Amino acid sequence: MKALEGVKILDFTHVQSGPTCTQLLAWFGADVIKVERPGEGDITRGQLRDIPGVDSLYFTMLNHNKRSITLDTKNPEGKKVLEQLVKICDVMVENFAPGALDRMGFSWARIQELNPRIILASIKGFGPGPYEDCKVYENVAQCTGGAASTTGFRDGPPLVTGAQIGDSGTGLHLALGIVTALFQRTNTGRGQRVTAAMQDGVLNLCRVKLRDQQRLARGPLTEYSQYGEGVPFGDAVPRAGNDSGGGQPGRILKCKGWETDPNAYIYFITQAPVWEKICDVIGKPGWKTDPEYAKPAARLPKLNHIFETIEEWTKTKTKFEVMEILNNYDIPCGPILSMKELAEEPSLRDTGTIVEVDHPTRGKYLSVGNPIKLSDSPADVTRSPLLGEHTEEILRQVLGYSDADVRRVESSGAVGQLASHAAAQ
């Protein structure tokens, strides 16, 4: 039995943040019914296409394990179908623009009237405040949540990260809120609203920088490279390059082959407890007792020289050779792994972190699998649905529609042409 088996999710989400949330719930066994517009569907079906006329990887990699129903909610019959779905589902998830649900006639009061036990989960750009009506996308969230201002090098502009911490990160936050609300409902019997704002989600992931902002008010941040270089701090947390957020000096260093391989690098941390081991590995045993190098405080002004010396050693070996040597001494490190290397890593395939999925029109492709592993509920990744693929199935099996009901709804145009009828033609 899957962990969320029996839970019905009405998925009114699109693009990335909401679909990330509902896909995770689907991986855990929830029955996720994705509502899409007839003839169009989720906008990402057509975005960044690499094969003409086929659902894009952007869509397929965010909508595994779901069922798709096409529904025109402006059509009276379509609105009636939606009301019936609201009545029987446990959770409704949406990431519309502010006020969109109200304009559809599905205010929180109306949703509660239809189903007092339902949980309405929403992703918004901002929480209540001056920007709550503004649209937000991934990079906007990173900029307004504190990530961009603290990413990059201090002599360069702010940078966004390639990790989708605004969209996917907020989707993960919302999923936690949903299962928490489901658990509380077992005690109260009532549904509730769950909201996750993208700005809030990014800020939560940047908490160490908020920590440093408060420390900065009491003096310079001594573990930052600029302190050792004698560069004064301003009144806000600066960009710190590749310094470690944990307070231990760290840098990304070149390894053998860096001249031609843009990923021939390794992250190296000069952690105090293993400093003497580092000295032995890089051939500087004298540093262990030298008063200018033996203690962390003495090393701060010399970090650039120290890392340059370590880099001379790392450049003689591949990043994997460096990692193997350092791990033997419990010296923290991490090779810079490219997407190609990750896609080809057998251990990630074995654990289901990367999966190969077969799609009826796309063929086989790679996707991420469930990053959270449950011993009693393994996650099977099934392909994303074709547009409206399960419309008739949901009408019959979920809502109990008769043949006459199905024909009536289809003839009204509320659901578009059903897949079975299209195939027959």
Side-chain angles (χ1 to χ4, degrees):
M1 183 175 179
K2 299 291 186 179
L4 293 181
E5 192 170 319
V7 174
K8 279 189 169 52
I9 311 288
L10 188 57
D11 183 1
F12 251 110
T13 69
H14 55 286
V15 191
Q16 184 181 163
S17 59
T20 296
C21 168
T22 53
Q23 177 172 257
L24 187 62
L25 299 173
W27 280 337
F28 285 134
D31 180 11
V32 175
I33 299 171
K34 185 176 179 72
V35 181
E36 301 185 77
R37 290 175 295 177
E40 299 180 44
D42 191 319
I43 191 173
T44 59
R45 284 186 183 270
Q47 285 185 333
L48 305 175
R49 271 186 174 142
D50 56 321
I51 303 175
V54 172
D55 287 339
S56 71
L57 286 167
Y58 196 6
F59 176 84
T60 59
M61 294 175 68
L62 286 163
N63 290 282
H64 293 119
N65 296 58
K66 302 178 185 180
R67 296 197 281 178
S68 169
I69 179 174
T70 50
L71 203 58
D72 179 1
T73 57
K74 295 179 180 178
N75 182 300
E77 285 289 345
K79 188 172 183 179
K80 187 183 300 182
V81 171
L82 179 54
E83 288 181 342
Q84 291 173 318
L85 286 170
V86 170
K87 288 178 181 179
I88 66 168
C89 283
D90 299 285
V91 184
M92 181 177 180
V93 190
E94 60 91 15
N95 61 337
F96 290 126
L101 269 184
D102 289 349
R103 292 191 294 272
M104 289 169 56
F106 287 88
S107 65
W108 173 229
R110 175 57 178 156
I111 291 172
Q112 281 185 303
E113 182 183 323
L114 292 168
N115 183 356
R117 288 176 54 81
I118 199 168
I119 291 154
L120 176 60
S122 304
I123 286 181
K124 300 303 175 189
F126 296 97
Y131 309 117
E132 61 184 299
D133 293 330
C134 297
K135 272 191 174 181
V136 174
Y137 296 94
E138 172 64 47
N139 288 356
V140 174
Q142 290 195 30
C143 292
T144 59
S149 71
T150 56
T151 302
F153 291 90
R154 67 174 182 271
D155 55 354
L159 291 175
V160 296
T161 173
Q164 305 290 281
I165 61 175
D167 275 323
S168 289
T170 307
L172 294 172
H173 282 92
L174 187 67
L176 175 59
I178 289 170
V179 295
T180 303
L182 284 170
F183 181 81
Q184 186 173 12
R185 193 182 70 176
T186 63
N187 296 320
T188 66
R190 299 192 308 272
Q192 62 181 298
R193 296 202 68 170
V194 179
T195 305
M198 293 172 70
Q199 181 187 43
D200 299 358
V202 171
L203 180 57
N204 184 45
L205 298 176
C206 292
R207 64 179 63 194
V208 297
K209 298 302 182 180
L210 184 59
R211 172 205 67 189
D212 291 349
Q213 181 64 41
Q214 296 170 88
R215 293 172 56 225
L216 186 59
R218 296 175 174 82
L221 306 173
T222 58
E223 79 280 8
Y224 279 51
S225 295
Q226 72 180 72
Y227 174 78
E229 297 168 13
V231 178
F233 286 81
D235 61 358
V237 173
R239 291 181 279 285
N242 291 313
D243 288 348
S244 168
Q248 301 288 345
R251 300 279 177 88
I252 291 179
L253 306 178
K254 298 171 182 173
C255 293
K256 187 176 181 179
W258 67 272
E259 299 92 341
T260 56
D261 181 356
N263 295 299
Y265 291 82
I266 196 161
Y267 194 82
F268 195 113
I269 301 176
T270 56
Q271 194 176 35
V274 292
W275 172 247
E276 293 189 359
K277 295 178 181 179
I278 293 172
C279 295
D280 290 333
V281 166
I282 65 173
K284 289 290 183 180
W287 282 1
K288 292 188 290 185
T289 54
D290 187 330
E292 293 196 2
Y293 293 92
K295 300 296 182 183
R299 293 195 290 271
L300 284 174
K302 305 174 186 65
L303 284 179
N304 284 341
H305 172 64
I306 289 170
F307 279 112
E308 287 168 3
T309 303
I310 296 172
E311 189 172 59
E312 289 304 310
W313 175 76
T314 61
K315 286 195 295 186
T316 66
K317 295 169 177 57
T318 69
K319 60 188 179 184
F320 297 110
E321 290 171 338
V322 173
M323 184 181 186
E324 184 176 359
I325 292 169
L326 297 183
N327 280 341
N328 286 333
Y329 295 94
D330 292 326
I331 299 171
C333 68
I336 307 305
L337 297 179
S338 69
M339 282 296 140
K340 182 177 185 297
E341 289 169 319
L342 290 167
E344 296 173 353
E345 172 56 46
S347 65
L348 296 179
R349 305 285 189 97
D350 293 342
T351 59
T353 299
I354 290 181
V355 296
E356 185 176 77
V357 183
D358 201 359
H359 191 275
T361 58
R362 163 170 290 282
K364 292 183 177 180
Y365 66 94
L366 291 184
S367 185
V368 294
N370 194 341
I372 304 167
K373 321 296 185 189
L374 301 183
S375 62
D376 284 356
S377 182
D380 301 315
V381 177
T382 60
R383 68 168 176 85
S384 60
L386 301 175
L387 179 60
E389 179 179 355
H390 305 96
T391 299
E392 187 170 356
E393 177 180 296
I394 291 167
L395 292 175
R396 292 182 184 278
Q397 297 179 8
V398 178
L399 297 181
Y401 275 30
S402 66
D403 290 345
D405 293 332
V406 171
R407 286 194 298 270
R408 185 191 73 250
V409 173
E410 183 182 22
S411 64
S412 73
V415 296
Q417 188 176 35
L418 297 180
S420 61
H421 295 176
Q425 293 176 6

